[in-house]
Amino acid sequence: MQYYMKGGNPLVGDVYISGAKNAALGILPAAIMADETVIIDNVPDVSDIHTLCDAMSEIGVLVATGDNHTYTINGANISKARVDNEHIRHIRAGYYLLGALLGKYHHAEVALPGGCNIGSRPIDQHLKGFRALGATAEVQHGIVIVDGKNLHGGHVYLDMVSVGATVNIMLAAALAPGNTVIENAAKEPHVVDIANLLNRMGANIRGAGTDIIKIRGVDHLHGTDYSVIPDQIEAGTYMFAAAITQGDVMVHNIIPQHMDAISSKLIEMGCEVSEFDEAIRVVGKFPLHPCNVKTLPYPGFPTDMQPQICVALAKADGRGVITESIFESRFKYVDELTKMGAHIKVEGNVAVIDGVPRMTGAQLEAPDLRAGAALVLAGLGADGWSSVSNVDFIMRGYENFIEKLKGLGAEIECVSDEREARKFRFRVG
Ligand code: UD1
């Protein structure tokens, strides 16, 4: 299966953003920490969520979904605290089951997390956090085993800002007797969202969204209902789609404040950005101006938006520089952009981009989730036909990507063979 597209159409119209994948991936494991039913709404319909829910079902969590966006979770009858299947090893967020099960049952065994191949991605800070709560934590034959009969509050200073470690420690500490303090915590909107859900379930967590989170452990968590925040990265991707195709896109169902770092780069590049209560309109203005950008933890420019801004810079009228400060191997997609005529040199964690006035379509391969989406944007902004293969990566994180792009006027189709591609070419002309 691949995405096949003809570039050149400015994307114009309205797009509605789904719930945040990375928030939902922490919220669903948090929900199993209660013995009562938790109803989660605005869950995105993406494959990472299905993989996580399948793994939760396998250990006895009752998972029911009505419309693919509302999940009813009941963790009263969990039969084992060991999570391992072929699929869970491919996603990152399986590790949140460690914190959730450790907090609730004082023991957890979960396959080492996978996720996009964008760097070494160790989990030492997660394990350090669990140990600070009185647990033992070790990795044996690809399985992370944590055990904490006498789990208690503790003090953790994270060596680097880690979203995963912050959330995982918060999950376990929610049910660990005593006080926990996480210093140098991640401040991402989804960290706040997961803390808000836990508090709705009866947890006592203060300071989420700042770099010091304080948790007073409670006896048990109870049922509630909750709605996941909108996806900052999905929204940012469509905002950059407008910039790259010289389009005019109204991105609905977002929290504009979460988009500040992204909006300000688009403005610097010469786009018109207007903010509304729950929407942002981006009008792409050519020529795009180059800029320099460094990826940083929130509220800085997100590493998950790095490939998308690179595509925009590849079309800007001058030299831009990207410094990737979170993941060391996040420029794998650059070779693909080079096939389209982009001028980009990568040295270590820095990419120097000399914008070109036009890029041409090419056969492209998605190396990971966000880069895959960025290559689709590159194809839509290039002259002629492009294909992007390995689309499973993209489906992990973008709900109805093709349908939403088509709704904005993109000529794009998901095809499974050359015959379908020919039919699409014939139809589009
Ligand atoms: C999460 C997101 C991912 C996003 C990233 C940064 C999910 C499922 N994934 O990934 O989309 O790109 O945040 O916003 O939410 N680190 C360590 N040791 C650790 C933990 C992290 O060295 O124990 C390092 C990482 O290698 C990386 C940095 O810390 O350099 C940040 O990683 P982290 O925030 O933990 O990212 P993830 O949770 O893996």
Side-chain angles (χ1 to χ4, degrees):
M1 212 154 55
Q2 54 180 359
Y3 293 159
Y4 205 73
M5 70 211 79
K6 185 180 183 191
N9 279 8
L11 297 192
V12 176
D14 299 85
V15 64
Y16 290 82
I17 297 307
S18 302
K21 169 183 85 85
N22 287 348
L25 288 171
I27 279 174
L28 292 164
I32 72 170
M33 296 177 74
D35 280 338
E36 294 169 11
T37 296
V38 178
I39 299 173
I40 311 292
D41 190 23
N42 204 31
V43 177
D45 188 10
V46 295
S47 68
D48 268 16
I49 296 289
H50 307 153
T51 304
L52 178 68
C53 286
D54 288 348
M56 297 197 325
S57 299
E58 276 176 23
I59 61 167
V61 178
L62 294 178
V63 181
T65 171
D67 59 356
N68 294 332
H69 295 110
T70 306
Y71 281 70
T72 304
I73 305 289
N74 190 298
N77 295 310
I78 291 176
S79 50
K80 56 177 185 173
R82 184 181 170 97
V83 186
D84 186 16
N85 70 37
E86 192 203 322
H87 306 294
I88 198 81
R89 287 175 181 268
H90 289 121
I91 70 168
R92 191 84 200 134
Y95 56 33
Y96 290 142
L97 292 167
L98 280 171
L101 293 169
L102 178 64
K104 190 173 182 191
Y105 298 113
H106 299 174
H107 183 85
E109 301 181 13
V110 178
L112 266 177
C116 288
N117 186 5
I118 49 179
S120 64
R121 308 189 84 175
I123 58 161
D124 56 303
Q125 299 301 302
H126 303 233
L127 304 189
K128 170 174 132 172
F130 295 144
R131 290 186 189 117
L133 304 183
T136 59
E138 52 184 359
V139 181
Q140 280 181 13
H141 311 294
I143 306 278
V144 189
I145 303 174
V146 290
D147 190 81
K149 300 279 172 289
N150 297 311
L151 207 64
H152 54 70
H155 195 118
V156 190
Y157 186 96
L158 294 176
D159 296 345
M160 73 285 297
V161 177
S162 159
V163 173
T166 302
V167 170
N168 234 340
I169 299 163
M170 206 164 70
L171 288 167
L175 287 176
N179 294 319
T180 295
V181 179
I182 309 173
E183 285 195 72
N184 200 24
K187 295 181 279 205
E188 267 67 3
H190 42 292
V191 173
V192 180
D193 207 33
I194 297 161
N196 285 345
L197 164 77
L198 286 165
N199 283 340
R200 282 275 285 270
M201 294 169 68
N204 185 341
I205 301 173
R206 286 173 298 135
T210 74
D211 45 22
I212 301 183
I213 300 181
K214 294 183 177 167
I215 303 149
R216 176 170 294 183
V218 296
D219 281 353
H220 76 285
L221 297 170
H222 55 70
T224 189
D225 47 26
Y226 194 77
S227 187
V228 178
I229 52 165
D231 198 303
Q232 176 207 31
I233 305 300
E234 189 198 10
T237 301
Y238 289 106
M239 288 166 70
F240 267 93
I244 290 162
T245 64
Q246 205 175 356
D248 179 351
V249 176
M250 182 74 105
V251 184
H252 294 271
N253 186 29
I254 59 171
I255 300 173
Q257 187 202 338
H258 292 170
M259 309 308 302
D260 282 352
I262 295 164
S263 297
S264 82
K265 280 296 157 193
L266 284 166
I267 293 166
E268 205 179 322
M269 295 184 78
C271 298
E272 207 180 288
V273 178
S274 338
E275 216 173 279
F276 301 87
D277 282 351
E278 292 185 354
I280 287 184
R281 178 180 175 200
V282 179
V283 183
K285 301 266 180 186
F286 278 12
L288 291 166
H289 307 316
C291 69
N292 297 341
V293 60
K294 183 174 183 178
T295 62
L296 288 168
Y298 190 82
F301 191 87
T303 174
D304 284 0
M305 285 300 301
Q306 185 255 93
Q308 298 88 318
I309 195 170
C310 186
V311 174
L313 288 171
K315 298 185 75 179
D317 68 341
R319 174 171 286 188
V321 177
I322 298 178
T323 307
E324 170 57 55
S325 81
I326 314 283
F327 294 112
E328 72 266 25
S329 323
R330 216 166 183 173
F331 287 123
K332 290 192 186 131
Y333 62 89
V334 161
D335 288 346
E336 304 301 292
L337 293 181
T338 307
K339 287 185 198 164
M340 307 177 86
H343 288 180
I344 305 174
K345 277 207 184 83
V346 175
E347 206 159 305
N349 66 335
V350 176
V352 178
I353 303 123
D354 286 311
V356 292
R358 328 186 71 80
M359 295 208 289
T360 44
Q363 291 188 326
L364 309 167
E365 206 176 305
D368 60 66
L369 163 57
R370 304 303 172 185
L375 291 179
V376 170
L377 303 192
L380 294 174
D383 294 342
W385 297 91
S386 294
S387 61
V388 176
S389 60
N390 282 351
V391 299
D392 284 357
F393 279 127
I394 302 173
M395 290 173 177
R396 286 184 42 204
Y398 287 88
E399 178 172 337
N400 291 338
F401 195 41
I402 295 300
E403 291 74 15
K404 289 185 186 185
L405 288 169
K406 277 184 182 172
L408 296 171
E411 306 279 19
I412 185 165
E413 200 71 82
C414 188
V415 300
S416 49
D417 54 29
E418 180 50 32
R419 213 177 111 246
E420 282 183 23
R422 260 204 318 272
K423 258 168 59 186
F424 176 58
R425 271 203 306 268
F426 183 70
R427 182 153 48 82
V428 171

